Amino acid sequence: MTAKMYYDADVSLAPLQDRTIAIIGYGSQAHAHAQNLRDSGLDVVVGLREGSPSRAKALQAGLRVASVEDATKEADVVMLLIPDEHQPAVYEASVAPNLTPGKTLGFGHGFNIHFGRITPPEDVNVMLVAPKGPGHMLRRVYAEGAGMPGIFAVHQDASGGAREIALAYARGIGCTRAGVLETTFKEETETDLFGEQTVLCGGLTKLIQTGFETLVEAGYQPEIAYFETLHEVKLIVDLIYEKGFAGMRHSISNTAEYGDYVTGPKLITEQTRETMREVLGRIQRGEFAREFVAETEAGYPNMKRWRTEMNEHPLEVTGRRLRDMMPFIEKKELEV
């Protein structure tokens, strides 16, 4: 069955008009949500901790800023958009005491609700609205008059109007310009974690790294290996993004297309599929969530070590040098 998509024509902003929306945080997603909602004519306040370096950025963008506590007290809708691992502490200290009956608590990812790390009171709405792309692109396409597809879900409907509020929010940030579809917190959380780990991040980066290492070990120049296993990935992904597999295969050489069909199944085997099932099972059972929470509480010892090791890997060393020779690549400092 084809999923139903909701567009601007299907959704009204009325459920959010004459109401205040608090955006908690001002990072990648939060800054885009706040500015898009404001430009959609809605009343927005950004909730930030005292001393937050993001305060100046939000003020410069023309947004109202308050403490997390004051923003939550004032708002009818509270959207929690700080990192997953920090949400429970901030929620308990600054949000929960100021949630009154009838308010709406929103998330951009279902992690903490689905895995029981946050348990809102029964007399508030709990919703999820998640654009399917990074925040800077959400803001850019909105400013250009377009939109980014998204998904929404309702975990708890205390007022009887939570679904309409979620849809209105999706319209406010521009997602209904491109279309949004309905899901559940469970489906969003488990599929998002699975996609990140097996394909988008874990799978892709390890495939690139292993390909690079194989060529260098065989005696080929690291610069050539970098171009063949990493640099050209964007070209292929862009074609897939724009035209699907068929369009990509139409645009590449016959040699490349034939090698695609012959070699792909040798790399991604039934054993790979079984490993993916195991990964999904760990996610579904909450094992990954517990492991990640433990890593967070320990101060990220493994993540820090892995970051250092990868930063010193010949693939990264070679890539930094080659990218400096490519003036067409926009140079941006990574934000903390």
Side-chain angles (χ1 to χ4, degrees):
M1 183 176 68
T2 303
K4 176 175 172 52
M5 300 292 289
Y6 296 86
Y7 298 93
D8 278 357
D10 307 310
V11 178
S12 171
L13 280 176
L16 292 179
Q17 288 170 339
D18 301 321
R19 297 190 181 188
T20 298
I21 304 167
I23 301 297
I24 309 302
Y26 201 69
S28 174
Q29 283 290 329
H31 88 279
H33 285 232
Q35 292 184 47
N36 290 6
L37 290 165
R38 185 268 317 275
D39 291 349
S40 291
L42 300 170
D43 182 30
V44 177
V45 58
V46 176
L48 294 171
R49 60 177 171 80
E50 294 299 326
S52 169
S54 297
R55 181 174 292 267
K57 296 178 183 178
L59 290 171
Q60 187 176 11
L63 293 158
R64 288 196 298 123
V65 179
S67 67
V68 177
E69 294 87 345
D70 289 344
T72 304
K73 287 178 185 177
E74 177 186 356
D76 303 285
V77 176
V78 179
M79 193 72 171
L80 201 53
L81 292 175
I82 59 176
D84 292 329
E85 61 268 37
H86 301 316
Q87 286 183 10
V90 172
Y91 172 80
E92 291 297 334
S94 304
V95 176
N98 302 300
L99 281 180
T100 52
K103 289 193 175 188
T104 297
L105 179 64
F107 296 85
H109 180 35
F111 187 94
N112 285 305
I113 292 293
H114 179 57
F115 292 119
R117 302 188 71 228
I118 291 177
T119 305
E122 294 180 357
D123 54 9
V124 301
N125 298 322
V126 181
M127 70 173 189
L128 177 149
V129 181
K132 298 312 293 178
H136 73 277
M137 286 301 297
L138 176 67
R139 178 59 184 161
R140 180 191 300 176
V141 297
Y142 180 97
E144 293 171 350
M148 176 181 289
I151 59 179
F152 74 97
V154 172
H155 174 73
Q156 195 164 278
D157 186 5
S159 70
R163 190 169 180 276
E164 288 70 26
I165 292 172
L167 281 166
Y169 188 99
R171 176 166 181 170
I173 61 174
C175 286
T176 52
R177 294 175 178 181
V180 297
L181 59 86
E182 191 165 9
T183 183
T184 64
F185 273 64
K186 178 183 187 322
E187 183 176 58
E188 185 277 335
T189 302
E190 293 176 354
T191 58
D192 187 73
L193 293 174
F194 176 82
E196 290 168 350
Q197 293 176 32
T198 62
V199 180
L200 304 177
C201 302
L204 180 60
T205 57
K206 199 62 180 178
L207 183 66
I208 292 170
Q209 181 181 338
T210 304
F212 174 88
E213 292 169 348
T214 301
L215 288 176
V216 172
E217 287 168 2
Y220 298 102
Q221 298 176 73
E223 294 82 2
I224 298 297
Y226 178 88
F227 282 130
E228 294 302 331
T229 62
L230 190 151
H231 178 76
E232 293 191 29
V233 169
K234 174 175 166 49
L235 309 179
I236 297 300
V237 170
D238 282 351
L239 286 171
I240 295 171
Y241 179 82
E242 294 166 4
K243 304 176 181 179
F245 284 172
M248 177 273 290
R249 286 166 174 150
H250 176 76
S251 298
I252 62 178
S253 69
N254 287 338
T255 311
E257 183 180 1
Y258 182 79
D260 173 354
Y261 297 135
V262 169
T263 306
K266 296 177 181 178
L267 293 171
I268 309 302
T269 64
E270 282 304 309
Q271 183 177 349
T272 309
R273 190 187 302 275
E274 185 56 36
T275 300
M276 286 187 171
R277 293 189 182 111
E278 292 173 8
V279 170
L280 181 58
R282 289 190 70 242
I283 292 169
Q284 292 170 330
R285 292 188 297 271
E287 293 172 16
F288 170 79
R290 290 190 289 274
E291 179 183 312
F292 177 64
V293 170
E295 174 77 7
T296 300
E297 293 174 344
Y300 308 100
N302 293 306
M303 281 182 61
K304 289 176 180 177
R305 184 181 77 255
W306 294 328
R307 284 172 181 167
T308 300
E309 290 173 355
M310 197 60 229
N311 192 51
E312 297 169 354
H313 191 282
L315 171 64
E316 287 287 79
V317 174
T318 303
R320 284 193 292 271
R321 180 162 48 81
L322 290 178
R323 289 191 295 274
D324 283 341
M325 300 163 59
M326 303 178 196
F328 51 86
I329 294 180
E330 186 178 2
K331 304 298 190 295
K332 286 186 177 181
E333 292 296 323
L334 293 177
E335 293 187 1
V336 177

